[in-house]
Every structure is written in structure tokens, then in C-alpha cells.
Amino acid sequence: MRRKHRLSIHLSIQTLTQMLGVLLVLCAGAAGAQFNQYTAPGGPQDRPETRDERLKRELADAHYHLGPVRIAPILGVKDIAYVRDIFDNGAAVPADVTTTVIGGARAYLRTGPKMTWIATLEPEYVWWRRRTEARRLNLSYGIEGLGLFNRVFVGVSAHRTEDQRILTPEVPELAPARSDEAEATVEVKVTGSVYAFLSGRAGREKNLVDNFLSDPALRATARLDRTEEVVRSGLRWRPRDGWTIGLGAEHSQTNFARRVDDSSNRGTAPVVELSIDRDQIFIQVDAAARSLTARQGSRFVDFNGVTGTAGVSYRPRRSFETWVYGSRNLIYSLSPDYPYLDDERVGVALGVGGGGRFATRFFAETGREQYTPFSALAPDRKDDLRAFGGSLRFFATQRLTFVAQVTRTRFLSNLPGNDRSYSAGGISLTWGGVL
């Protein structure tokens, strides 16, 4: 949640059919990063905020002042969790307990009535009871500029994020990783309801697994270290409040750091964006008809298909909301037999208690991971996915939040020895912001 290739910009009948098919299958979640390495189960957690809403909320939480700078401290204990990983190939990981302590702050500085700068510093310490090699100090920091002018929006950001996450569905274990990302976006109002946009993102993914000497499966995730560049441009039509329809094109390029089983690739794709936000109904779609080919020296196998996310939410009253969501993502594989896998999933979620002090959410999800082989000699591999979970969120005060959650994900493969599962249950307590 980063190619040698050509794509005709015109939409063929086949491409239109693919995009229509994915929109029907995906009827589901908010758009995220273009090339996620792992899709966390559960779908969209909430309806997304507008830029104005997000800035107003964050400024309201910044109660401390240092001259013209407003500061919002962040303190918390997150992911106090019991974690269990089971692999059917005999490499089961013993159950363990982990927790993460985080402290930091966000600082806000206005350099004019329309321009705001946001600096973030969030160090955290990750502790494990048994896995001593996984104990570490992570450091996340960054800066962001938001210019909300009358006819122009300008956004720039640069961030480093170090955290504990699942690095790949092939090895569903928590491990440290680092993401460096720089992004710039410009959106200009052309007419009363038509906007032109241009955005660019460059990032680097590095899995921090050098110390995992006792876990060769996790150490192998270093093969996934890579850089990504994505540029998207087009037009958005906003015929009324809460409605956005966008058409454009996107160019992407991925370069792997290691030459072993290199899957570097590039491509250009037409993209469709749709967002309808009404009191009771919310719909969001972000889909791209990708045509990716290998860069020189890469073993990447050409990919032609639609990827993206979509979601539909129905909220008959403030305290009750249902979601139907889905996604299709290209995920790079660790196996020397496959460059990537096609991750498709759909799910449903139910939220109760939104708008009050208590909020609960439950989800169930199913899907399939179809592996693409390097050659005809590689065996056909398909992994079925089943996931479910739930969470309880309690807002003790405006700034103090308690969260309890449980998740179980199960992968069932058609190849012997590749079944695996990940189960986790834990709590988090945060003060001063959402972690």
C-alpha cells in the first residue's frame, strides 16, 4: 500500500470490457498507492476526508503554540498484540507478543492565508517478547505543503516512514520496512466544474531484514527492494458537491535494487476516477487499464489487465454503515518461478456506532492470488484467501482513543506446502492524534 513497455492511449473494445468488468467485480474501497506489496484485509476504514476537512481537523487538534507554529503532540502504545503465524511447510513461527511505543509531534506553520506547512516527527520503539532480532527503533519524519488557493491547489511532500508491517502475502509475518516518498500535485480550475490535474510520485521501498538470521523466508524479502516512479495527469469534472469524475493517463516505472530475478518494468495506462459522496451513499473507484512490459535485462512477464480499488457504502443513519469493497493489485513475488501474483479480493464490512463514543466494525473477505510463471515449466499456482476480523474503538475524550481489534487471514494453495495463516489480536491507546 513502486517497466520496457508501450500502450496505445486509445481504449480498445477489449480494454473497455476489462475496465467494465473490474468495476463490477471491484464494487468496493478508496484509492491508495498504485502498487501495493500487501493488501491489508478489511477494506476502507471510513469515508475519506477532503483536503479542507483534513486540514481543519488537524489544526483544531494542534492546541500548543510556539510563536506562529502550532503543535500537536502524539503519544501512544499501539499494537499490543498476540501474533501467530502458521506455515504448512514446517516453518511455523512460534506465537509471540509485540507492542510499539510511539511519541512525536506534528507542527503547522501558515506562510499566508492559503498556504500551510506541516512537519512530522514520529519515533517509535518496537518490542517483541521472543523475537529479539525484531526489536528496533523506527524513525518516521517528513514535511508537507498544502496550498488551497481560489482556483489552484498545490501539494508537495517528502516523507520517510519506518514501521512494522507484513511485507508480502507469501510470508505473512510482521517485519520492519522503510518507505521514502516524494510527491507533488497541482490541480487547476479550468471552468466552473472542470479541473486539470498533474501529480507525480517517486519512492523507494527497503525491507529492513538484515538481522533476521534465523528466518531465511523474511531475509528473502530483501529481493523486493525497489524504486518506483508514477506520473498521472488528466481532467476531473465536479458537476455538484460530493461528485468527482476523472479521466486521465498514468505512466509508471519500477526498478529493482537486485539483479537476481529482476522484475523491473514500465508502462502507461488510461485511468478512471469516480467519487460520489452523499449522506447515505458513498461510491469510489480508481481503476487503471495497465499494460506493463519488462525493462532491458529484466525477467518480468508482460502484464495486461485492469488494477485498482472500488467501494460502495450505504449509511441509512449516522450510527450504521455497510460496505461492499474489492481490489485487484499486482504484487511482486519472492519465488524464482514467478515474477508477480495477481491479487483479487472482495469483501463486506459492517460498522455500528459511528458518530458516538463507541464504534465497532466487522468484515469478511475472500479472494484469490493467481501466480504468473516465468516459463511454462513452472507449476500453475493459485492461492485462495479467506479473511475476517473486527474492531472496537472507544473515544474516551476528544484526544484519547482506545482501540481493540482481531484479524485472521488464511491462504490455501493448490501446491502442497504453501498453505499459511496469520492471526493477530491486540489493543492500542493513543493520545493527541490517530497513529
Side-chain angles (χ1 to χ4, degrees), residues 10 45 61 63 104 136 232 265:
H10 75 278
Q45 299 300 304
D61 289 338
H63 297 288
R136 62 174 283 115
R232 178 180 288 199
N265 59 87

Side-chain angles (χ1 to χ4, degrees), residues 203-214:
R204 174 180 287 110
E205 296 289 333
K206 181 173 178 57
N207 297 324
L208 307 175
V209 293
D210 293 341
N211 292 331
F212 288 76
L213 300 177
S214 62

Side-chain angles (χ1 to χ4, degrees), residues 258-327:
R258 306 194 180 195
R259 298 294 93 184
V260 178
D261 300 326
D262 180 14
S263 291
S264 299
N265 59 87
R266 64 170 58 150
T268 305
V271 295
V272 173
E273 302 174 355
L274 172 65
S275 178
I276 301 175
D277 191 354
R278 312 304 296 166
D279 289 340
Q280 292 187 330
I281 297 292
F282 175 77
I283 301 172
Q284 189 166 40
V285 174
D286 188 297
R290 303 195 182 281
S291 181
L292 305 175
T293 60
R295 303 197 67 196
Q296 185 174 5
S298 168
R299 297 180 64 200
F300 185 82
V301 177
D302 290 358
F303 174 83
N304 293 281
V306 177
T307 65
T309 60
V312 178
S313 162
Y314 176 61
R315 186 169 59 194
R317 55 183 183 272
R318 189 68 179 173
S319 61
F320 184 85
E321 186 170 21
T322 59
W323 280 91
V324 178
Y325 63 89
S327 64

Side-chain angles (χ1 to χ4, degrees), residues 38 79 81-83 85 93 98 100 126 128 131 134 163-167 171-177 209 212 215 218 422-424:
Y38 176 74
D79 300 333
Y82 172 84
V83 177
D85 309 277
V93 179
T98 180
T100 301
V126 180
W128 287 83
R131 298 170 59 193
D163 60 6
Q164 181 171 254
R165 66 186 85 154
I166 293 179
L167 307 180
V171 187
E173 297 181 52
L174 292 172
V209 293
F212 288 76
D215 196 331
L218 274 182
Y422 172 80
S423 303

Side-chain angles (χ1 to χ4, degrees), residues 29-56:
Q34 299 304 314
F35 302 97
N36 293 326
Q37 184 56 38
Y38 176 74
T39 303
Q45 299 300 304
D46 205 348
R47 301 186 181 190
E49 296 176 300
T50 66
R51 299 166 183 141
D52 289 333
E53 291 170 342
R54 174 213 159 189
L55 188 57
K56 289 178 181 178

